[in-house]
Amino acid sequence: MAENGELMPKTLEGQITMEKTPSYFVTREAPARIYSMSRATKLIVVVRDPVTRAISDYTQTLSKKPDIPTFESLTFKNRTTGLIDTSWSAVQIGIYAKHLDNWLQFFPMRQILFVSGERLISDPAGELGRVQDFLGLKRIITDKHFYFNQTKGFPCLKKAEGSSKPHCLGKTKGRTHPNIHPEVVQRLRDFYRPFNMKFYQMTGHNFGWD
């Protein structure tokens, strides 16, 4: 991330400049750097069930490195005691309350919007309505802009900006997840529960992951 935002385009009156980097939310130094660039910055973070997120993260890595260890062996520090390895990034990223704590040292909650990854799929227009409100924009995006793609299992834009063709998420999205033993999934659910509860409390929003 460039210091003082020299890589950001100039923003004119009435314009909003957006920048997307998934790793910011979990990078320790990011809040201070962004704050020093502009303390008025609004932050939008898409979050989803941390267990599904961890499995999805593993699926992405597996597609690039087919010889990595099993999900189970990476999840546990000690399989017998069921001790979760929190140093594994796929697990670490889903501890949202911990990362949010870091951001709240610099930005007030009113400048941060958490978008539900699940609702982005089940009700894209509704979630994007929240985004438009948060940014002080008129609600222009509605249900009529989307259709549900059965093959991908995701909503797609009927018409992309400047094109007459529909726009769907790329090939890397919507991959079939490997089968994970239910006991492993349950252990992860138990591990994340207290962190999820704290996150719901901090955001004033129940994401319904438990």
Side-chain angles (χ1 to χ4, degrees), residues 72-87:
E72 192 172 320
S73 59
L74 290 166
T75 299
F76 295 107
K77 220 174 205 164
N78 185 319
R79 185 67 189 92
T80 321
T81 61
L83 186 67
I84 303 285
D85 187 355
T86 54
S87 68

Side-chain angles (χ1 to χ4, degrees), residues 43-99:
L43 306 146
I44 300 170
V45 187
V46 180
V47 287
R48 65 192 291 206
D49 179 333
V51 178
T52 318
R53 206 219 67 80
I55 298 168
S56 179
D57 192 321
Y58 175 78
T59 307
Q60 290 275 43
T61 311
L62 190 63
S63 70
K64 295 177 199 129
K65 303 178 187 164
D67 53 348
I68 57 165
T70 64
F71 180 83
E72 192 172 320
S73 59
L74 290 166
T75 299
F76 295 107
K77 220 174 205 164
N78 185 319
R79 185 67 189 92
T80 321
T81 61
L83 186 67
I84 303 285
D85 187 355
T86 54
S87 68
W88 183 33
S89 67
V91 167
Q92 169 78 241
I93 291 169
I95 309 172
Y96 303 133
K98 178 175 164 250
H99 307 305

